[in-house]
Amino acid sequence: MAKFYPFKGWLVAFALATWLPLNAQQFINPIPIPPEINSDTVELQIDILDHVFNPNGADSLSQPIQCYAFNVLGDTSLTCLGPTIAWQYLHNVHTEVTNNLPHGATVHWHGAHIPVYTDGGPHQVIPPNPPNNGAAGNPWCIDFPILDKSATMWYHPHVMDHTYEQVQMGMSGMIYVEDPVDGDDDPILSQIHDTLPNEYGVNDFPVIVQTKKFIPDPNNPGGHVIDTANGYKGSDFRYVINGVVNAYMEVPANVVRLRILNGDAKWSFNLGVFENADGTSPYGFQYIAGDAGYTDSTYAMDSVIIPPGSRFEWLVDFRGQENKTFYLANGVSTIPDAIVGSGVSGGLSDSTILEIRVTAVDTPNSPISAFPIALHPKEIPDTTDQDRHRVKSFTGAGNMGDPFLIDNTPMNMGFVNDTVPLDSTEIWTIFNETRVAHPWHIHDIHFWVTEIFDTVSNSYIDPALYPELFCGPRDNVLIMPGWKMKWVGTFQDYGTAIAPDSTYMYHCHILPHEDGGMMGQFVVWNGLGVGVEEYFEDHLDAVIYPNPAQEELFLKGKSRHPSDVRIFDLQGQLLARFAYTPFDGQIKIPTERLPRGMVMVEWRTEEGKFVRRVRLD
C-alpha cells in the first residue's frame, strides 16, 4: 500500500520548503478575461481555430497553433477556451450548441444539477456540422431550470474515449452561478453578495489553470501542435493560464476574488500566492468556496492542493499593496508522490505560473474589516435517515494489463451500474485501493464529505484541519491511496426510467483514467416508464399552445384511435392523465389544478407520441 501523506503536512511543507530552481520566465502576456454571457438564452458554436499562446513572445508558441474553442454563435473571436456563462438561480435557460468540428462532441455542465438529457455526458453526442454525409447538422437544443445556488462551475467535453483529447485542444469554459440578490430567495446569499467582490473582471476574476505539451507539426515545418496522443506522458509541459503562457494579471489594491479552476486533464496543483518569485514568502489567502458553493466561514491558507476538475475560490487582500507584485505558484516538490502532479510524476517542476500586479485602480473599498467572516451555514443531509449505503472501490495498477477501474468494472455505455431511487438520501463510501490518488467526481448532485478513514495509519482524518474537504458542498474530491471517504447526498430531482441512455456518470477526473474505463453510470429512477429518448423522438405532427400557459392548454393534431395525455413535472412525477377519443383538430388539456412551473406534456396514440416542455404560469 502506498505511503499516506497528511494533507496539513503539504501546506506546511509548501510554506517552508526551499524550492528547486524555478523555471525562469518573463511575464509578458496579460491573461485574457473571457467575455461573459449573462442571458437566459445561450447559443454556442464549437470551432477549430488558430490560437497564439505566447502573443508577446518570440518563440514557437508565438506562432498560430490549432485549437478548439467555444464562441457565441456567429462569432470566432475566442480562439481557445470559451466565454464565461452566468446563470441566475431559478431562471429557466435555453441553450443551443452547434458542433463545427469534423467529429462528434459533447458539452458537459460540470457541477450542475440538471436533467440527465441535458447533462452533456457521453450519451448526448452532438453530431458534426456538416457531418460526414454532407447533410446539415442540427444544434443540440436543451432547456432546464437553474436549481443550483451560488457556485463556480465549468463546461467541457465528455465524449466516450476522447475527453482528454478534446479538453487538451481547448474546449473548456467557466460558469458563474450568481448569488441570488433577492433576499426572499436566500437572504444569507444576498448578504454574502453584498460583502464579497462580485464585479466580473474588475475584482472577481476567472483563473483557468492548465498545462499543455507542444510538439513539432509534422505537416508544417517550424510549426507546432498540441500533443493529444502522448501528452499525458513525459515532460516539457507548459503552464497555460486562461489560454496564454508567461501570464500576468492586474488587480486593484483591494480585496480580490480569484476563482481558480484546475481545468487540466491530468495534473493536481499545489497553489499559493507569494510575495517573491522564488516561492519562499507566502502571502496567503482566504478560502471561501469549493466546487459547489460557499464554505461556512473563510479559512486562512498559504496553499492548497487542487485536483483536476475542482474549483476553489479565494479572497486575497491586496489593500495597501499598490504597485507591488505577487505570484501564483505551483509547489510540485511538496506534492506527495502518490498524486499525479508530484515531482515523481515528471513533466512539471516548481514554478511561478502567474504574476499578479497590484494597481492603484480606484474601486469601492471592501466592507470586510477583518477575517474570518461567516459565510453560508452547512446544509448536510441528515445521515440518520439515509435510504442506502453504497461502497465503490478504485482498483487496478494502472498498466495496460491492469488499468485503473471502479469496482474492477470497465465503463460500458450499455450497462447501468447503479439504480438510485428518486428522492432518496444515500451514503457512499469511496475506497481507494490503488497506489495513486484519484479525484472522485459525480454528476447530477453535490455531496458533503462526512468522514475519511485512512486504512494505512488506521485513523480518521480530523475534519477541523481540512476545510477544503469538509466545510462545503463538493462534486470533485481527491482521494489518497488507502482512504475510505464517506459522503452523503440527496437525489431529489430528475427521475427517469432505468435505461442506459438515462444515466449520469461518476468517474476519476484524471481524464486519461476516465477515457481508459475508470467510470460508471447510474440512473435516478422515478418508478415510471418515461425514458430520455421519449423526450426527443416525436412521431406525431402536432402543436401545443399557448406556451407559457395559464388555466387552459390546447393540443392541435389528429388521431384515428383513442389517445391519452400525461403531464409530468421535471422530477418525473406524474401530475395528471387525460383520455381522449379519436379527433381531428383541437383538444383542451385542463391545467388549472396543476402546480405552476415547467412540465412535460406527453401525447400518446397508436400512431406514436409527441412531447413538449410547457411552462405553467
Side-chain angles (χ1 to χ4, degrees):
M1 187 66 69
K3 182 180 178 182
F4 167 69
Y5 295 82
F7 271 51
K8 191 56 64 177
W10 305 349
L11 308 185
V12 174
F14 189 29
L16 300 180
T18 300
W19 283 21
L20 300 173
L22 295 177
N23 293 339
Q25 64 175 302
Q26 292 180 315
F27 300 98
I28 55 177
N29 298 310
I31 65 167
I33 302 299
E36 186 179 36
I37 301 176
N38 202 328
S39 171
D40 291 339
T41 298
V42 178
E43 296 178 304
L44 298 175
Q45 64 185 38
I46 310 169
D47 293 298
I48 302 177
L49 298 165
D50 288 334
H51 179 72
V52 177
F53 286 92
N54 191 14
N56 293 320
D59 61 10
S60 59
L61 301 187
S62 302
Q63 305 301 315
I65 294 176
Q66 191 175 89
C67 285
Y68 299 164
F70 292 99
N71 272 292
V72 174
L73 188 66
D75 184 12
T76 55
S77 56
L78 290 177
T79 51
C80 188
L81 301 177
T84 297
I85 301 173
W87 285 347
Q88 309 294 329
Y89 178 55
L90 295 181
H91 283 214
N92 291 302
V93 298
H94 174 77
T95 301
E96 298 187 9
V97 183
T98 299
N99 176 20
N100 293 327
L101 303 181
H103 46 69
T106 77
V107 185
H108 168 52
W109 317 102
H110 182 129
H113 174 52
I114 54 180
V116 67
Y117 61 87
T118 70
D119 183 62
H123 292 285
Q124 288 97 47
V125 175
I126 310 170
N129 178 35
N132 295 331
N133 62 13
N138 294 319
W140 184 45
C141 300
I142 52 175
D143 297 87
F144 52 87
I146 305 303
L147 301 184
D148 298 298
K149 298 180 182 179
S150 309
T152 299
M153 302 178 183
W154 65 306
Y155 58 100
H156 62 79
H158 212 300
V159 178
M160 187 69 181
D161 301 329
H162 295 284
T163 301
Y164 175 86
E165 170 192 344
Q166 294 190 3
V167 169
Q168 284 298 88
M169 287 298 293
M171 288 177 63
S172 298
M174 296 278 269
I175 299 171
Y176 281 22
V177 184
E178 302 286 7
D179 301 321
V181 295
D182 184 348
D184 294 336
D185 292 333
D186 191 315
I188 296 176
L189 289 177
S190 298
Q191 181 179 357
I192 291 174
H193 178 84
D194 295 336
T195 302
L196 301 184
N198 57 52
E199 294 186 67
Y200 181 77
V202 177
N203 57 17
D204 182 348
F205 298 95
V207 180
I208 304 173
V209 183
Q210 298 176 307
T211 68
K212 298 190 186 298
K213 186 176 183 180
F214 302 94
I215 58 175
D217 184 352
N219 300 316
N220 179 22
H224 282 70
V225 295
I226 298 171
D227 186 354
T228 60
N230 301 294
Y232 57 92
K233 301 177 181 178
S235 57
D236 301 323
F237 286 84
R238 297 289 298 272
Y239 291 100
V240 180
I241 313 295
N242 287 19
V244 297
V245 300
N246 305 329
Y248 74 87
M249 66 186 300
E250 294 184 347
V251 301
N254 209 328
V255 176
V256 169
R257 184 178 193 165
L258 302 181
R259 304 195 191 215
I260 310 288
L261 160 64
N262 182 345
D264 199 72
K266 171 183 177 181
W267 308 105
S268 291
F269 303 123
N270 192 8
L271 299 182
V273 177
F274 292 83
E275 296 186 54
N276 300 322
D278 61 4
T280 58
S281 181
Y283 186 70
F285 57 87
Q286 298 288 328
Y287 174 62
I288 65 168
D291 301 318
Y294 293 114
T295 51
D296 58 334
S297 172
T298 58
Y299 292 91
M301 292 184 175
D302 287 334
S303 70
V304 65
I305 291 183
I306 307 179
S310 279
R311 293 81 64 208
F312 282 21
E313 294 188 37
W314 302 352
L315 295 183
V316 189
D317 191 350
F318 290 122
R319 288 176 291 194
Q321 305 298 323
E322 292 89 343
N323 302 316
K324 292 185 179 180
T325 301
F326 297 84
Y327 301 90
L328 181 69
N330 181 27
V332 171
S333 62
T334 54
I335 297 177
D337 292 350
I339 297 177
V340 178
S342 68
V344 301
S345 302
L348 298 178
S349 59
D350 292 336
S351 296
T352 50
I353 62 177
L354 174 67
E355 186 177 80
I356 303 173
R357 304 174 183 176
V358 182
T359 70
V361 175
D362 184 23
T363 56
N365 194 39
S366 170
I368 300 173
S369 58
F371 294 104
I373 60 173
L375 293 174
H376 203 284
K378 298 178 183 179
E379 297 179 324
I380 305 176
D382 184 1
T383 57
T384 63
D385 194 30
Q386 83 273 8
D387 297 285
R388 181 166 176 172
H389 183 190
R390 299 173 195 262
V391 178
K392 296 291 171 186
S393 295
F394 295 157
T395 56
N399 52 47
M400 291 299 293
D402 187 14
F404 292 127
L405 299 172
I406 299 176
D407 291 337
N408 290 309
T409 304
M411 170 62 181
N412 181 346
M413 289 183 64
F415 179 74
V416 178
N417 300 88
D418 293 272
T419 299
V420 180
L422 179 67
D423 200 25
S424 62
T425 296
E426 296 198 350
I427 292 176
W428 291 37
T429 294
I430 315 302
F431 182 21
N432 186 358
E433 300 182 40
T434 77
R435 56 181 172 77
V436 174
H438 300 276
W440 162 268
H441 171 55
I442 188 168
H443 296 203
D444 176 39
I445 68 164
H446 307 144
F447 58 83
W448 290 81
V449 178
T450 57
E451 69 177 40
I452 297 174
F453 182 75
D454 171 36
T455 62
V456 177
S457 65
N458 197 34
S459 63
Y460 286 92
I461 303 299
D462 184 355
L465 298 178
Y466 308 105
E468 68 272 25
L469 300 181
F470 292 95
C471 293
R474 305 301 306 268
D475 62 55
N476 197 82
V477 172
L478 187 67
I479 303 178
M480 292 294 291
W483 276 14
K484 289 184 176 180
M485 183 192 78
K486 185 177 291 186
W487 60 260
V488 61
T490 299
F491 301 81
Q492 61 187 13
D493 302 296
Y494 304 130
T496 65
I498 302 174
D501 58 8
S502 299
T503 50
Y504 294 101
M505 305 294 118
Y506 53 75
H507 57 87
C508 171
H509 219 283
I510 297 173
L511 299 186
H513 295 178
E514 173 193 322
D515 285 343
M518 198 175 181
M519 179 163 61
Q521 51 188 13
F522 68 97
V523 163
V524 179
W525 181 48
N526 62 8
L528 304 173
V530 180
V532 171
E533 291 303 321
E534 298 182 31
Y535 290 150
F536 285 96
E537 297 180 2
D538 286 344
H539 304 288
L540 299 174
D541 183 16
V543 176
I544 194 165
Y545 65 95
N547 190 5
Q550 293 182 346
E551 294 184 355
E552 294 184 341
L553 186 66
F554 298 92
L555 186 145
K556 185 176 182 181
K558 178 180 179 181
S559 176
R560 298 190 303 271
H561 305 277
S563 61
D564 65 36
V565 170
R566 296 190 296 172
I567 301 178
F568 301 88
D569 65 17
L570 295 185
Q571 290 74 45
Q573 300 287 344
L574 180 64
L575 301 177
R577 182 173 183 174
F578 307 99
Y580 295 92
T581 58
F583 69 94
D584 182 359
Q586 176 178 288
I587 58 174
K588 177 182 176 181
I589 305 172
T591 61
E592 62 271 15
R593 295 186 180 182
L594 297 180
R596 304 297 92 178
M598 192 70 71
V599 297
M600 305 294 298
V601 179
E602 178 190 73
W603 175 42
R604 279 183 173 271
T605 80
E606 291 186 13
E607 290 99 333
K609 63 180 179 295
F610 172 88
V611 180
R612 284 293 182 272
R613 300 177 188 87
V614 175
R615 192 175 83 235
L616 302 180
D617 288 342

